[in-house]
């Protein structure tokens, strides 16, 4: 009987935690269905009937679906580059013995201590000298380097990629890149999924860099377009919340799609530990 009660209390606690995690999403959706006056003055608990009015104002103010497409294009390419090159570098640090390997790895990790905002002026000047301002290259190419991703992939390769299987590939005549692409990457898929979700969310929500690099409104990303709805004197809260709903949906879909791989990655790390 005590076990049943304990189990019931545990399940109740988990339900409460899950519900508390869903409250912000529910509040966001409910708020997007109300008029600006209600949003500013009331505590909103049930959906209203102003969603399409808010959406129409959003669509008339900014080219929201163009921004959605721009953000999706940048995010998908950046995530692919981020995950692949982080895996390649992490695998190299893990399985290749070369001079100053540990020192270089410490330097890579050291870059995590420097906030990216500190280098934004130098980054802007560099992109200007390369004639890359008002293009997507400054938003995509830096994704090749990700110190956290390299660290994550090295740790996973150390624990989950046997050296014997690499030697076996070499004996079969595979080149180093063939071994990485055909043998190592499938083994590292849980870690790839884990890093992919972080990379996707980080790039999807990126606000500062697109705002500084892109000047053409048709090239702007979704976060910048949504922020532009707020001026110095007025704020269209209803339209903003509809834009936030549109921006959050792809993240939820991507996370749901990758969640099984993420759980597999956590479980694999627990078993190895």
């Amino acid at each position: 009987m005590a076990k049943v009660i304990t189990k019931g209390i545990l399940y109740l606690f988990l339900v409460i935690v899950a519900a508390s995690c869903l409250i912000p999403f529910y509040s966001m959706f409910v708020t997007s269905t109300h008029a600006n006056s209600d949003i500013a003055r009331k505590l909103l608990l049930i959906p209203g009937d102003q969603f399409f009015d808010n959406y129409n104002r959003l669509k008339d103010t900014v080219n929201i679906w163009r921004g959605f497409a721009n953000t999706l294009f940048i995010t998908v390419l950046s995530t692919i580059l981020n995950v692949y090159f982080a895996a390649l570098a992490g695998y190299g640090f893990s399985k290749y013995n070369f001079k100053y390997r540990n020192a270089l790895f410490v330097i890579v990790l050291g870059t995590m201590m420097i906030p990216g905002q500190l280098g934004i002026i130098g980054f802007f000047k560099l992109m200007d000298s390369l004639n890359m301002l008002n293009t997507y290259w400054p938003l995509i190419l830096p994704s090749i380097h990700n110190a956290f991703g390299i660290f994550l992939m090295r740790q996973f390769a150390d624990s989950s990629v046997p050296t014997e299987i690499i030697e076996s590939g070499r004996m079969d005549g595979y080149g180093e890149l063939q071994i990485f692409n055909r043998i190592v990457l499938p083994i590292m898929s849980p870690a790839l999924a884990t890093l992919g979700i972080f990379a996707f969310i980080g790039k999807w929500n990126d606000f500062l860099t697109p705002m500084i690099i892109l000047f053409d409104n048709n090239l702007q990303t979704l976060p910048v377009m949504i922020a532009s709805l707020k001026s110095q004197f007025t704020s269209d809260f209803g339209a903003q919340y509809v834009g936030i709903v549109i921006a959050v949906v792809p993240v939820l879909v991507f996370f749901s799609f990758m969640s099984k791989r993420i759980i597999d990655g956590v479980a694999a790390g627990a078993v190895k530990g």
Side-chain angles (χ1 to χ4, degrees), residues 62-75 131-140 203-204 206-226 228:
V62 296
N63 193 349
I64 191 68
W65 294 112
R66 178 63 182 267
F68 184 94
N70 295 341
T71 308
L72 186 65
F73 173 75
I74 294 169
T75 302
N131 295 319
M132 288 186 178
L133 292 180
N134 204 37
T135 69
Y136 290 148
W137 291 114
L139 305 178
I140 295 173
K203 184 57 66 172
W204 184 270
D206 188 16
F207 173 78
L208 180 63
T209 308
M211 183 181 65
I212 293 173
I213 295 296
L214 301 176
F215 313 133
D216 188 346
N217 289 333
N218 288 325
L219 296 177
Q220 280 294 359
T221 59
L222 202 55
V224 178
M225 286 189 177
I226 294 173
S228 68

Side-chain angles (χ1 to χ4, degrees), residues 37-58:
S37 57
D38 292 335
I39 296 173
R41 294 185 294 106
K42 298 180 181 179
L43 176 63
L44 306 173
L45 300 177
I46 59 175
D49 58 357
Q50 298 296 309
F51 182 85
F52 290 104
D53 291 338
N54 294 335
Y55 169 74
N56 289 330
R57 291 200 311 277
L58 172 67

Side-chain angles (χ1 to χ4, degrees), residues 7-271:
K7 196 172 184 179
I9 294 174
L10 178 60
Y11 282 146
L12 178 62
F13 173 74
L14 293 176
V15 169
I16 293 173
V17 170
S20 65
C21 293
L22 293 175
I23 286 175
F25 298 101
Y26 177 78
S27 176
M28 173 188 63
F29 174 75
V30 168
T31 305
S32 70
T33 63
H34 287 270
N36 286 329
S37 57
D38 292 335
I39 296 173
R41 294 185 294 106
K42 298 180 181 179
L43 176 63
L44 306 173
L45 300 177
I46 59 175
D49 58 357
Q50 298 296 309
F51 182 85
F52 290 104
D53 291 338
N54 294 335
Y55 169 74
N56 289 330
R57 291 200 311 277
L58 172 67
K59 188 175 62 173
D60 294 339
T61 306
V62 296
N63 193 349
I64 191 68
W65 294 112
R66 178 63 182 267
F68 184 94
N70 295 341
T71 308
L72 186 65
F73 173 75
I74 294 169
T75 302
V76 169
L77 282 183
S78 299
T79 301
I80 293 172
L81 289 176
N82 193 324
V83 170
Y84 181 82
F85 283 98
L88 185 62
Y91 166 72
F93 276 116
S94 174
K95 299 302 179 183
Y96 289 86
N97 292 317
F98 52 90
K99 196 173 183 180
Y100 305 124
R101 180 182 69 169
N102 293 330
L104 289 173
F105 188 66
V106 169
I107 292 173
V108 170
L109 294 184
T111 62
M112 296 173 63
M113 306 293 291
I114 305 172
Q117 293 82 354
L118 292 181
I120 196 67
I121 296 176
F123 181 72
F124 181 89
K125 290 183 177 180
L126 176 62
M127 294 301 104
D128 186 26
S129 65
L130 296 175
N131 295 319
M132 288 186 178
L133 292 180
N134 204 37
T135 69
Y136 290 148
W137 291 114
L139 305 178
I140 295 173
L141 291 180
S143 299
I144 292 175
H145 170 263
N146 181 356
F148 169 75
I150 294 172
F151 169 76
L152 177 66
M153 293 300 173
R154 179 181 179 177
Q155 297 304 109
F156 191 88
D158 284 342
S159 62
S160 301
V161 180
T163 304
E164 292 78 8
I165 200 171
I166 299 173
E167 296 295 336
S168 177
R170 289 169 181 160
M171 291 179 63
D172 289 339
Y174 281 7
E176 296 302 317
L177 276 179
Q178 285 180 309
I179 293 173
F180 175 72
N181 291 325
R182 296 187 181 184
I183 299 175
V184 176
L185 276 184
I187 297 175
M188 299 179 70
S189 58
L192 298 177
T194 304
L195 178 60
I197 194 69
F198 288 113
F200 186 93
I201 293 175
K203 184 57 66 172
W204 184 270
N205 293 327
D206 188 16
F207 173 78
L208 180 63
T209 308
M211 183 181 65
I212 293 173
I213 295 296
L214 301 176
F215 313 133
D216 188 346
N217 289 333
N218 288 325
L219 296 177
Q220 280 294 359
T221 59
L222 202 55
V224 178
M225 286 189 177
I226 294 173
S228 68
L229 296 170
K230 181 179 180 180
S231 65
Q232 183 177 358
F233 302 104
T234 61
S235 294
D236 192 339
F237 296 115
Q240 278 185 305
Y241 273 99
V242 172
I244 293 171
V245 170
I246 294 173
V248 166
V249 168
V251 175
L252 296 178
V253 171
F254 186 78
F255 182 83
S256 299
F257 180 75
M258 302 294 284
S259 60
K260 186 178 184 303
R261 287 292 185 181
I262 294 174
I263 294 171
D264 290 344
V266 174
V271 171

